[in-house]
Amino acid sequence: MKHTFTSPDTKGYYGKFGGAYIPEMLHRNVEELQSKYLEIMYEKGFRNEFNALLKDYVGRPTPLFLAERLSKQFNTNIYLKREDLNHTGAHKINNAIGQVLLAQRLGKKRIIAETGAGQHGVATATVCALKGIECIVYMGVKDIERQAPNVARMRMLGAKVMPATSGSQTLKDATNEAIRDWINNPTDTHYVIGSVVGPHPYPDMVARFQSVISEETRWQLKEKTGSELPTHVVACVGGGSNAAGAFYHFLDEPQVQLVAVEAAGLGVNSGHSAATTQLGTAGVLHGSKSIVMQTEDGQVVEPHSISAGLDYPGIGPLHAHLFDSGRGKFLSATDDESVQAAFNLCKLEGIIPALESAHALAGLNQLQLKAKDVVVLCLSGRGDKDLATYMNRMDA
Amino acid sequence: MNRIEQVFKNKSNRVLNVYCTAGYPKLDSTLQVMQALQESGADLIELGMPYSDPLADGPVIQHSGSIALSNGMTIATLFKQLKDFRKTVTVPVILMGYMNPVMQYGFEKFCADAAAVGVDGLILPDLPQYEFETEYGAIIKKYGLDFIFLVTPETSEKRVKELDALSTGFLYAVSSSSTTGNDKDFGAVETYLQRLKNLQLKNPVLVGFGIKDKQTFESASKHSNGAIIGSAFVKALENSSDIKADTKKFIANVLS
């Protein structure tokens, strides 16, 4: 079989990375997903319902916007894929809808999810409200404190927000708690993972649900430029779901440069960073083999980023493979660079980006772009949730 | 005949395996706890290697792991502590842990060092069957270590047989689908254990998760070869000022 980046092998491996490193207690649930996800996802009735919700509920297709003043600044052509205009304010809803519909077809009555900044939690709570399904969201105690508006949104949408009190009390621990909940509720519960991480088939399943981003980009770009292929696709990467979606239909187009921007925090070597490919080594986290930020003794370390959505010590196995194989170009942007890039976009284009997406924008400074280049940048979310952080930095 | 086989040859019922966390409650208490367990009548010892993200464990064992890590426990330190442990501990010892720290240490080096100090077997709950068969199983075997797979009430009969065939030493029957330290109704557990018994497995079966006292130990033993106690013992050591006495008291209670 021809090597392809769009599908892992039957055991869930992208090159050296992936697999399903799970305790036996999760085996039946994960195996059920492995054996059924593709069949369900590509069944006609499912496609129709999924596409109708993306259109009429989420508001897709999201615009592909030529950012003229930003383009002029970089002396190139920059198109913004406006995932920030989705219902709930980010790309996360694409995957939440897909997985909740899938869970219904598996006969599951209860949905659990983990969340860091709260975007995935809000998206999952939203879809559960829409479908009348019980929803429990695990969130680190520290994140509950620093992301109060999203906690309020989830509660208003009827979800139960469960504080993760173990370990470092952030996204990593919320994920641990969600996995434990799944172990303890093996028959009636589906775990909606929010990124392209976790045991096979989650990385592939989430990438496929998010692939609508690049599917639209291709025909939108063709309409605007006459060609479906840009020279660059740029996206931020924490676990990597918006990047996986933005890259997906370009993965097997080698002439398209795929650029992933990680969060450098206070600086890659500051000890307060989340730049996983720069700082991590091969390891197993949350059920898959990937690149993990860890101590010499194999203990997972707590990362830092100003962006809660990028504050994760791992990266999806697809991205680990893109990094390892050289197919993807990995950059990193610091907290400060990203905040500056966000203010720059506000000023030039009248768009307030999420802090996560601001990292992708900051990555533009590190690319040698030519006047003829066509850059697609995934603006994964809007910045309303980050206003407090931005306000603190206004005068800085 | 290795030490684990010997245990089950001498005793086919009410075999008691007790879990303790390395480096807990104090960094240097590892050996002391193991000796106390042996003196108190534990037939096997499952020694947990602490990890920052122990998915299969409940809050009690995770907490003990956090304390052990903050005490400074690492795999390298553990092997130093275990260097001469066979001078005083004769019961089988099984190391339990997670793949990530073991991979960082180096999987083969880990197996070599474990075998060299006198460890008998491994439990790595997040090492999957496929990776065991294609990569890691051969290394484990090369160093003469037993590898124990877990099965749960959700595990199909076909899969139980496969995992039994791959396991050596014993098979670890998780009493219910849950993380460690959870209370569940034991009636359903007995039906499940009877089901396992009817499969006539190659390995002895020890039951773990939810075993905490004499009553649960007896119920589990009724339909299996014995049981594993974890969280309840870890809890008993939490504020212990006399590890030997507290261990004796706890085990005596279970075996009374």
Side-chain angles (χ1 to χ4, degrees):
Chain A
M1 203 176 92
K2 183 173 149 275
H3 177 77
T4 168
F5 287 93
T6 50
S7 298
D9 70 15
T10 55
K11 294 294 174 184
Y13 280 91
Y14 300 89
K16 292 184 285 202
F17 304 106
Y21 291 76
I22 49 161
E24 182 62 24
M25 293 81 91
L26 287 175
H27 183 268
R28 204 180 79 161
N29 270 329
V30 169
E31 192 191 39
E32 181 183 35
L33 273 180
Q34 286 173 356
S35 64
K36 293 181 180 164
Y37 80 109
L38 288 174
E39 188 189 323
I40 294 175
M41 282 177 73
Y42 292 102
E43 184 260 320
K44 199 165 170 248
F46 182 94
R47 289 316 298 176
N48 289 343
E49 191 178 357
F50 181 59
N51 290 334
L53 283 173
L54 287 185
K55 178 169 177 279
D56 299 329
Y57 187 67
V58 176
R60 301 202 74 96
T62 57
L64 185 70
F65 173 68
L66 173 61
E68 289 188 20
R69 298 182 69 206
L70 186 69
S71 297
K72 201 171 165 201
Q73 188 181 45
F74 286 93
N75 190 31
T76 189
N77 306 285
I78 300 170
Y79 289 85
L80 302 178
K81 182 59 176 159
R82 298 290 308 276
E83 292 301 300
D84 59 317
L85 294 177
N86 282 326
H87 179 41
T88 70
H91 70 292
K92 292 289 186 190
I93 190 93
N94 303 329
N95 169 54
I97 289 182
Q99 283 201 48
V100 171
L101 294 184
L102 190 130
Q104 283 189 313
R105 279 157 178 81
L106 291 171
K108 305 291 181 179
K109 307 281 182 238
R110 183 173 172 272
I111 295 290
I112 56 172
E114 85 296 337
T115 199
Q119 290 304 107
H120 172 58
V122 168
T124 307
T126 297
V127 184
C128 286
L130 178 71
K131 291 288 167 188
I133 301 179
E134 183 186 3
C135 180
I136 295 106
V137 180
Y138 287 88
M139 191 169 185
V141 169
K142 278 186 194 160
D143 290 332
I144 288 178
E145 282 164 18
R146 61 185 179 178
Q147 305 287 337
N150 272 345
V151 175
R153 291 166 81 194
M154 286 184 269
R155 290 196 171 130
M156 198 163 166
L157 290 160
K160 192 168 168 192
V161 179
M162 296 289 288
T165 54
S166 65
S168 51
Q169 307 183 339
T170 57
L171 177 57
K172 166 173 91 71
D173 308 283
T175 308
N176 291 340
E177 292 300 323
I179 292 174
R180 287 201 179 107
D181 179 310
W182 208 22
I183 287 175
N184 287 315
N185 297 282
T187 47
D188 66 340
T189 299
H190 175 72
Y191 176 21
V192 178
I193 296 184
S195 193
V196 286
V197 302
H200 175 59
Y202 278 100
D204 185 43
M205 179 168 68
V206 177
R208 284 169 192 265
F209 284 135
Q210 293 294 0
S211 70
V212 64
I213 300 172
S214 48
E215 190 185 322
E216 289 173 3
T217 303
R218 285 187 76 125
W219 63 257
Q220 289 173 320
L221 204 59
K222 171 109 190 194
E223 275 182 10
K224 291 182 196 301
T225 69
S227 166
E228 289 185 14
L229 302 183
T231 53
H232 301 73
V233 181
V234 183
C236 65
V237 175
S241 70
N242 93 86
F247 293 168
Y248 194 86
H249 290 283
F250 302 111
L251 286 168
D252 293 331
E253 306 280 5
Q255 66 271 45
V256 179
Q257 168 93 265
L258 306 175
V259 182
V261 187
E262 294 182 297
L266 303 181
V268 171
N269 297 312
S270 66
H272 302 277
S273 177
T276 302
T277 59
Q278 309 300 309
L279 299 167
T281 48
V284 170
L285 178 64
H286 296 146
S288 59
K289 187 174 173 192
S290 188
I291 300 173
V292 180
M293 288 172 63
Q294 53 186 318
T295 65
E296 273 180 21
D297 185 46
Q299 308 298 335
V300 181
V301 301
E302 194 52 31
H304 165 83
S305 168
I306 192 170
S307 144
L310 303 181
D311 206 351
Y312 184 69
I315 189 170
L318 163 63
H319 295 299
H321 182 46
L322 292 177
F323 174 74
D324 188 58
S325 65
R327 173 68 187 93
K329 185 182 177 74
F330 281 70
L331 307 173
S332 64
T334 64
D335 291 352
D336 286 343
E337 288 163 353
S338 304
V339 170
Q340 286 317 310
F343 282 123
N344 187 54
L345 188 75
C346 294
K347 214 167 55 192
L348 292 179
E349 304 290 347
I351 298 169
I352 303 176
L355 274 167
E356 290 76 18
S357 323
H359 285 72
L361 291 162
L364 291 172
N365 296 311
Q366 299 169 44
L367 296 171
Q368 275 75 51
L369 297 169
K370 299 190 195 78
K372 277 201 285 188
D373 285 346
V374 174
V375 179
V376 171
L377 185 142
C378 187
L379 205 72
S380 56
R382 60 176 171 248
D384 309 35
K385 69 184 177 62
D386 300 314
L387 281 183
T389 309
Y390 286 141
M391 288 305 102
N392 284 335
R393 300 270 187 142
M394 264 302 243
D395 306 316
Chain B
M1 186 176 297
N2 73 28
R3 275 180 284 258
I4 298 178
E5 278 178 80
Q6 194 65 52
V7 165
F8 289 103
K9 197 188 165 213
N10 296 341
K11 193 172 177 181
S12 64
N13 192 244
R14 297 180 84 243
V15 169
L16 177 63
N17 181 357
V18 183
Y19 171 95
C20 55
T21 301
Y24 172 87
K26 298 279 187 293
L27 179 63
D28 295 324
S29 59
T30 313
L31 210 52
Q32 208 185 338
V33 174
M34 292 166 76
Q35 287 160 353
L37 281 171
Q38 172 170 285
E39 284 168 30
S40 307
D43 299 300
L44 299 97
I45 295 170
E46 185 182 328
L47 184 58
M49 301 175 286
Y51 178 44
S52 54
D53 296 81
L55 289 184
D57 288 304
V60 173
I61 290 179
Q62 173 162 22
H63 181 66
S64 72
S66 304
I67 291 175
L69 289 174
S70 61
N71 287 344
M73 182 47 78
T74 66
I75 291 179
T77 303
L78 176 60
F79 282 136
K80 273 183 211 148
Q81 291 183 351
L82 294 181
K83 195 168 165 276
D84 294 318
F85 90 104
R86 279 299 172 205
K87 288 182 181 161
T88 51
V89 177
T90 55
V91 298
V93 171
I94 295 134
L95 287 181
M96 183 272 173
Y98 291 83
M99 277 301 278
N100 195 56
V102 174
M103 281 169 62
Q104 274 312 105
Y105 189 82
F107 197 89
E108 177 146 12
K109 182 169 181 273
F110 174 81
C111 292
D113 290 356
V117 297
V119 164
D120 302 283
L122 303 177
I123 298 176
L124 299 169
D126 61 345
L127 170 54
Q129 180 187 355
Y130 171 72
E131 282 72 8
F132 178 88
E133 289 178 304
T134 52
E135 186 174 358
Y136 298 106
I139 303 172
I140 295 166
K141 205 175 164 191
K142 179 175 162 189
Y143 292 94
L145 295 166
D146 282 331
F147 190 85
I148 292 115
F149 275 96
L150 275 61
V151 298
T152 81
E154 306 289 330
T155 310
S156 70
E157 232 170 69
K158 178 171 168 276
R159 188 168 162 80
V160 170
K161 285 180 181 163
E162 281 171 20
L163 296 176
D164 177 52
L166 292 174
S167 295
T168 49
F170 62 92
L171 193 64
Y172 191 134
V174 176
S175 65
S176 61
S177 285
S178 67
T179 46
T180 54
N182 236 339
D183 281 320
K184 295 267 165 139
D185 171 25
F186 232 86
V189 178
E190 292 195 18
T191 319
Y192 152 66
L193 293 177
Q194 188 56 51
R195 199 154 54 81
L196 281 183
K197 204 173 180 179
N198 294 342
L199 292 176
Q200 301 190 319
L201 302 170
K202 156 194 120 178
N203 288 293
V205 173
L206 294 185
V207 185
F209 290 42
I211 316 298
K212 56 182 177 183
D213 50 22
K214 180 176 169 60
Q215 193 198 339
T216 45
F217 178 65
E218 294 295 341
S219 318
S221 296
K222 219 188 285 176
H223 304 284
S224 71
N225 303 91
I228 305 162
I229 296 185
S231 299
F233 177 62
V234 168
K235 218 183 257 175
L237 290 187
E238 193 169 9
N239 296 309
S240 178
S241 54
D242 186 342
I243 286 173
K244 201 170 168 177
D246 289 336
T247 302
K248 272 207 166 130
K249 193 174 141 203
F250 181 87
I251 302 296
N253 218 334
V254 173
L255 296 177
S256 64

